[in-house]
């Protein structure tokens, strides 16, 4: 059975995703910036309630994936908190200014996660690496178990040929998980065409708020859409 991972940026969205078929939650904040580390409080509350795998993202800010010593120290502290909170793993990634995997820092992140009983997955920093084949080998060597990727393209549907190639190169040593532009309608085709066994998406819709608001305020927000998640789950469950 294919694995459905849903990216959620609130406790409510994460719980919706789990209840509608998600086997794993990638938990983040600031999705409009590509995802940053959620608060300790949100991680702790969600871990107490959700019963699927929980992987918070470890990313101290938006922008590039080249971090200062202070930013990296904060990332390590966030990994430690996730371990103490009982998370199943973390999602992280560090690159060099040249666009290669920062192998020393990535080994440190993955090694710390492992020492706390967690796994480490690599996020879409992979898609901006200058040499994806080399980056894949670097991630395997650093101890990562999964790569979230669009195959270096603007979306996973556009990156199908490269995703297929990455699956061949990985040869079962690391999981290749398509993400970006995944919908209930195309998820099954992406899995079949690439040979991947896991898939990632937000599956969100904009919902209006019932709260009263002045004319100049907009309280509507993007949240996990239960209908979309149920649909993608049904479409991929037998693959």
């Amino acid at each position: 059975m294919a694995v459905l991972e849903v990216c959620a940026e609130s406790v409510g969205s994460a719980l919706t995703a789990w209840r509608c078929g998600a086997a794993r939650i990638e938990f983040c904040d600031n999705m409009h910036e590509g995802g940053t580390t959620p608060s300790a409080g949100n991680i702790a509350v969600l871990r107490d309630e959700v019963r699927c795998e929980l992987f918070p993202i470890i990313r101290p800010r938006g922008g590039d994936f080249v971090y200062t010593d202070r930013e990296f120290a904060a990332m390590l502290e966030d990994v430690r908190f996730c371990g103490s909170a009982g998370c199943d793993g973390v999602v992280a990634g560090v690159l060099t200014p040249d666009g290669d995997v920062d192998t020393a820092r990535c080994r440190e992140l993955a090694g710390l996660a492992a020492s706390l009983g967690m796994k480490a997955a690599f996020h879409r920093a992979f898609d901006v690496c200058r040499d994806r084949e080399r980056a894949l080998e670097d991630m395997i060597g650093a101890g990562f178990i999964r790569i979230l990727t669009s195959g270096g393209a603007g979306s996973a549907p556009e990156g199908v040929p490269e995703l297929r190639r990455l699956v061949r190169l990985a040869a079962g040593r690391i999981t290749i998980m398509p993400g970006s532009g995944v919908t209930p309608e195309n998820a099954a085709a992406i899995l079949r065409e690439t040979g991947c066994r896991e898939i990632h998406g937000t599956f969100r819709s904009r919902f209006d708020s019932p709260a009263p608001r002045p004319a100049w305020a907009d309280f509507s927000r993007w949240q996990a859409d239960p209908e979309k998640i149920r649909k993608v789950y049904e479409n991929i469950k037998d693959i």
Side-chain angles (χ1 to χ4, degrees), residues 174-237:
I174 193 169
T175 296
I176 304 298
M177 181 173 64
S180 183
V182 176
T183 68
E185 292 74 25
N186 66 23
I190 292 170
L191 289 173
R192 291 190 180 99
E193 292 172 17
T194 61
C196 294
R197 303 299 304 157
E198 303 191 6
I199 202 154
H200 169 105
T202 60
F203 311 111
R204 301 186 299 166
S205 293
R206 183 174 283 280
F207 292 90
D208 290 329
S209 169
R213 62 178 177 85
W216 47 263
D218 181 6
F219 292 156
S220 65
R221 59 194 176 104
W222 289 93
Q223 302 178 69
D225 188 323
E227 292 186 9
K228 289 182 178 180
I229 296 170
R230 289 190 189 102
K231 185 174 181 180
V232 71
Y233 173 78
E234 288 297 323
N235 287 348
I236 71 170
K237 70 177 184 178

Side-chain angles (χ1 to χ4, degrees), residues 58-79:
I58 305 299
R59 190 177 178 216
R61 56 163 172 77
D64 63 36
F65 305 99
V66 182
Y67 300 113
T68 66
D69 290 344
R70 289 185 180 89
E71 288 171 333
F72 186 66
M75 294 172 74
L76 294 174
E77 288 302 316
D78 286 333
V79 172

